[in-house]
Amino acid sequence: MKSIILGYPRIGEKRELKKAIETYWKGKTSEEELSNISKNIREKNWLEQNKLGADLISSNDFSLYDQMLDMCITLGCIPQRFSNLTGLEQYFAMSRGIQKENVDVIAMEMTKWFDTNYHFLVPEFSKDQSFSLNAEKIINEHKEAFALGINTKPVIIGPVTFLLLGKEKESGFNSLELLDKILPIYGQLIKTIDALGAEYIQIDEPILATDLDMKGQEAVKRSYEYFGNLNTKVKLILANYFDCYGENLDLTLKLPVDVIHLDLVRCRKQLEDILTHPSLNRDKILSLGVVDGRNIWKNNFKTSFQVIEQVKEKLPPENIWIGTSCSLLHSPLNLDFETELNPEIKQWLAFAKQKVDEVVTLKTLVIDKNNTAAIEKLRTNTVAIESRKTSNLIHNEIVKERVNAITEEEARRKNVFSIRKEKQHKALNLPLFPTTTIGSFPQTKEVRSWRAKFKNGSLDKNEYNKLLKEETEKAIRIQEDIGIDVLVHGEFERNDMVEYFGEQLDGFVFTQNGWVQSYGTRCVKPPIIYGDVSRPKPITVEWSAYAQSLSNNWMKGMLTGPVTILQWSFVRNDQPRSETCTQIALAIRDEVSDLEKAGIKIIQIDEPAFREGLPLRKENWNTYLNWAVKAFRISSSSVQDETQIHTHMCYSEFNDIIHSISNLDADVITIETSRSQMELLDAFVEFKYPNEIGPGVYDIHSPRVPSTEEMKQLLEKAQAVIPTDQLWVNPDCGLKTRNWPETKVALENLVKSAKHMRIKALQEV
């Protein structure tokens, strides 16, 4: 019996990787220094897991930006526009774009990794796509670990997942047609890893958690039969996670792989199907993912033992592995760093380091029921699990009663959009192609330092608020000077769009160092929802009202929606997610009502995680979409017709859920479209989306500044398919991570492009 860890967080104990990369981008850290910092993080990770007793530890789970980007480099799948660049310049240009003398290249597209808040770079494919092997990273990292006495299992993304998550950049072919070209490269890679002396290689195929058609299933079958004929000694671990194998189960059990990994957190029900399946080979090893890699609650050892004992009835112990459900990339690093958490809540939690210990402890107890240290851990675990069930911290009867009393009328606006639109246009009097931004403005080093000083007590509240008010006014004047129509206050008082709200809602608790990677160097510190949620007092009203008092332009109130707050938090697992989401929706509803009373006539309720929450299997979609749509509508429907409700969504494919997006009934939706060159508008066009829409024309995740002409071309593409009176002009997302000089130039170009479109529209009339 072995313990297996599918992957480990790579940002470092104190986000060292983030800081090193960002200073490298600024020219303050050399490539050698960045390499050394990266190596130190990897070594700490390996040694920590080894010290805790993990048997199978990963390599190649580290990345400077993204594992899919790394796989593109490994397979030589590099878009032509980056071909004149090399090394790290090429790598970071692919992820962020690049703009310098004689070089102006847009980044690759980015979207969500299945149903997580992790973003990956989308591979690009053409009909004549070629591939070539560059295994340097994988070789070097395996050797680094081996020098420490650890024979790691390299982790790679499987060929079918890689191809199906990529994007065909020309019409007339399917990415799976490239399988015959890519399999020999994978074959070379597996042989290379075999030559290193690795005993195992982990091939991640989470695409098996989705509804594969016959072509997809056939591609899986061909791929692993090809690998099975390579005549190598290295053993193959097939890793699926985030859901069941479903209709892919029979296919999977017949594949010539040595180990099949099961996510038994997200899909416990698949175990019985597997154990009773006629294709189950008793010589096959089952890797049981019983420790949750995506949430922070302590594992219930007794429940895990039941699962393991169920498998032991069918398989010998040596053919049973115990592991994490998925990579621990989605977990914070170490609970030991949390010195300020309520001790009662802290005892219920486990971060990545503690989860490794849980995996090892479970294995130890299964092998040796008399192990003294493991028995004590079992006792502590049992006490924590039982105390959570009966804690007075968790339940609020007033909140529960309010949820139960919700009526259908509370989830509907007073009138349909066509009536609201007429009233809003009259009340707001905005021009064609109205310009706005998504919410935040650059959080400079000074702003961040004020927040840090306020939190550590070296800056009092009055002085802190004075500085924030000055920064808010500065942002408003800049917007007025540029000529933006609908302003935002900049959100300088906020840290993270979810954390800020969670800090002021009951039922949430926060960590000091619970960081997880969202994309690249972007790390977030998700709140922990441990109990019933309510809003004790207004959250944003004072700042929004202050900002509106500074300008004659309309000011947007900026809120985070209930689904996104849910998705981007670590959510309690002792009640349905739908119930928790409804509690949050009622809290946001109260905030919306108070904003309207304070004179805010445009209110944006951001839902960038709406698509992310969609279950991987279509059979489960309707259940999720029904409660998610209802939660948004509860949060947004208390206002008068004249009050305009906006929402924002980014980095999502909308085609298959466009009916539900429409059912949100937001007056205006803003979406990310610049990286896809407006391709993401197709869903809204085919559906004939009835409400107003702001397709992003400025990619804020890249340091490059688009020209006025570039933005005009994007708007012309949008106007060709969306009626003029439905179009807004805005960036893709908030501007928090950008700096002021590039932001000003980009927004000036944005306003110029909108004015050009207005003049053109009037001339055509």
Side-chain angles (χ1 to χ4, degrees), residues 158-399:
V160 183
T161 296
F162 183 78
L163 289 174
L164 288 180
L165 292 186
K167 193 166 190 177
E168 300 92 344
K169 299 304 286 187
E170 53 188 301
S171 59
F173 87 107
N174 183 289
S175 60
L176 288 180
E177 294 172 25
L178 300 173
L179 190 66
D180 288 336
K181 288 186 176 182
I182 207 170
L183 283 181
I185 311 303
Y186 269 92
Q188 292 176 39
L189 177 57
I190 291 171
K191 288 180 179 179
T192 299
I193 293 170
D194 183 47
L196 290 172
E199 186 176 0
Y200 293 96
I201 177 172
Q202 178 181 315
I203 307 180
D204 285 1
E205 288 281 15
I207 205 71
L208 287 166
T210 66
D211 299 307
L212 287 179
D213 60 17
M214 292 297 292
K215 286 184 179 179
Q217 289 192 346
E218 179 61 24
V220 172
K221 183 174 182 289
R222 286 178 53 208
S223 296
Y224 288 87
E225 287 178 348
Y226 181 92
F227 298 158
N229 291 323
L230 288 174
N231 195 28
T232 54
K233 293 180 181 179
V234 67
K235 298 170 185 173
L236 303 186
I237 303 168
L238 177 65
N240 172 49
Y241 36 79
F242 302 155
D243 211 321
C244 301
Y245 283 94
E247 295 299 319
N248 306 317
L249 180 58
D250 183 65
L251 161 73
T252 300
L253 291 176
K254 293 176 181 176
L255 295 176
V257 296
D258 302 279
V259 185
I260 296 177
H261 179 77
L262 316 175
D263 184 339
L264 295 177
V265 174
R266 297 299 289 269
C267 191
R268 168 82 180 269
K269 67 182 181 182
Q270 70 179 322
L271 187 58
E272 183 64 28
D273 295 337
I274 291 170
L275 295 178
T276 58
H277 201 286
S279 297
L280 178 64
N281 183 341
R282 282 177 56 85
D283 293 330
K284 192 90 72 179
I285 294 170
L286 291 186
S287 169
L288 310 180
V290 292
V291 172
D292 194 344
R294 289 183 55 173
N295 213 331
I296 43 67
W297 302 108
K298 188 165 284 187
N299 182 266
N300 187 329
F301 282 180
K302 290 184 177 179
T303 301
S304 294
F305 287 142
Q306 292 171 2
V307 172
I308 297 164
E309 289 300 319
Q310 184 182 355
V311 182
K312 282 177 66 180
E313 292 176 3
K314 297 286 186 179
L315 297 177
E318 61 269 22
N319 283 16
I320 302 171
W321 291 0
I322 300 171
T324 56
S325 62
C326 61
S327 171
L328 296 174
L329 169 70
H330 311 286
S331 291
L333 189 60
N334 189 353
L335 187 63
D336 295 341
F337 298 152
E338 302 304 323
T339 58
E340 298 180 7
L341 268 178
N342 180 323
E344 184 176 359
I345 296 173
K346 185 176 178 179
Q347 69 170 326
W348 304 333
L349 308 180
F351 290 0
K353 177 184 174 182
Q354 289 72 37
K355 289 176 185 294
V356 174
D357 188 57
E358 287 180 334
V359 169
V360 173
T361 301
L362 283 167
K363 187 200 84 166
T364 303
L365 285 166
V366 172
I367 293 173
D368 180 7
K369 289 185 171 69
N370 297 315
N371 184 289
T372 305
I375 289 171
E376 176 57 25
K377 289 179 180 178
L378 172 60
R379 187 197 66 78
T380 303
N381 178 273
T382 302
V383 170
I385 297 298
E386 291 304 313
S387 75
R388 185 172 169 222
K389 291 178 182 177
T390 57
S391 173
N392 293 327
L393 289 175
I394 292 176
H395 303 290
N396 183 328
E397 291 306 318
I398 295 173
V399 173

Side-chain angles (χ1 to χ4, degrees), residues 539-595:
I539 300 171
T540 67
V541 176
E542 183 178 348
W543 281 107
S544 293
Y546 168 72
Q548 184 64 82
S549 73
L550 297 176
S551 180
N552 292 324
N553 287 47
W554 294 113
M555 189 73 53
K556 274 196 294 188
M558 301 301 306
L559 305 175
T560 305
V563 178
T564 296
I565 291 177
L566 182 88
Q567 286 294 128
W568 291 358
S569 299
F570 292 120
V571 183
R572 59 190 292 190
N573 58 1
D574 61 337
Q575 72 177 15
R577 290 172 69 87
S578 57
E579 186 170 339
T580 303
C581 194
T582 303
Q583 293 178 359
I584 301 169
L586 288 170
I588 299 301
R589 180 185 182 89
D590 293 343
E591 189 72 12
V592 167
S593 296
D594 285 345
L595 281 169

